[in-house]
Amino acid sequence: MRIATTGRKVTLKEQFEERVQKRLDKLDKFFENEAEAQVTVTVEKDRQTVEITLRDKGFMARAEKTAKTMEEAFDEAADLLTRRLVKNRKRLGAQMCKPALEAEAPAFGDETEEEEYHIIREKRFFLKPQTVEEAILEMEMLGHTFFFFRDGETDQLEVVYRRKNGDYGLLIAE
């Protein structure tokens, strides 16, 4: 697994980078050699946030934690990521073997609408056909409350989301 570390508003010490390498090497059993991990540390006042993003063949898992020290935040984020991978290990087996589609990403955030709206972030991503269950799994692995995907059977764009009571909802465009 290739690991990249980035510090925002902080210079990462070699000791921290070694800790990251050692801890994430344990996740190699879930991925092939082509997997990539991105660890980003952000310092803001008296708190430090660590975000870990894993990518492998179109699959992506993400965890983010904030604590007083970057080591503490990293350990919590790595624990969360490991728990998610272990919990969903059987379902992930087939998912991680599927290659990502090489289709063009849809353009979001075109500024052709009213100028009152101020777009502060634009995110582009590939939509691969998947089932609702696969979309829920990927949403849980990313730690998000909603997930936008293309239904593999109907080829429609859909959104799955987590409701406040813990159940899931599905938005289907007509």
Side-chain angles (χ1 to χ4, degrees), residues 21-132:
Q21 183 73 39
K22 183 178 178 184
R23 184 74 187 266
L24 294 183
D25 279 345
K26 294 179 182 178
L27 299 179
D28 273 342
K29 60 187 171 189
F30 294 105
F31 302 100
E32 295 185 11
N33 293 337
E34 299 171 8
E36 296 178 5
Q38 175 65 45
V39 179
T40 305
V41 179
T42 306
V43 175
E44 296 173 3
K45 295 185 182 178
D46 63 340
R47 61 186 179 166
Q48 300 186 21
T49 303
V50 174
E51 176 185 333
I52 304 171
T53 305
L54 299 174
R55 289 186 176 89
D56 184 32
K57 294 183 179 178
F59 167 79
M60 188 167 59
R62 181 181 167 278
E64 180 178 327
K65 287 293 181 177
T66 301
K68 291 213 180 261
T69 67
M70 71 178 73
E71 291 82 4
E72 203 177 313
F74 171 72
D75 288 340
E76 290 177 16
D79 288 343
L80 176 62
L81 201 54
T82 303
R83 280 194 309 272
R84 287 180 183 165
L85 289 170
V86 169
K87 178 181 175 184
N88 297 297
R89 173 180 18 204
K90 291 180 183 174
R91 288 185 261 174
L92 286 173
Q95 171 101 7
M96 291 176 11
C97 294
K98 295 180 183 178
L101 292 179
E102 297 178 6
E104 283 293 315
F108 289 102
D110 290 340
E111 297 188 35
T112 57
E113 301 201 1
E114 298 178 12
E115 295 179 12
E116 304 164 12
Y117 298 113
H118 181 68
I119 297 171
I120 58 170
R121 182 175 181 202
E122 178 178 284
K123 186 171 186 175
R124 297 173 184 263
F125 56 96
F126 293 105
L127 288 178
K128 59 183 177 181
Q130 51 189 183
T131 66
V132 174

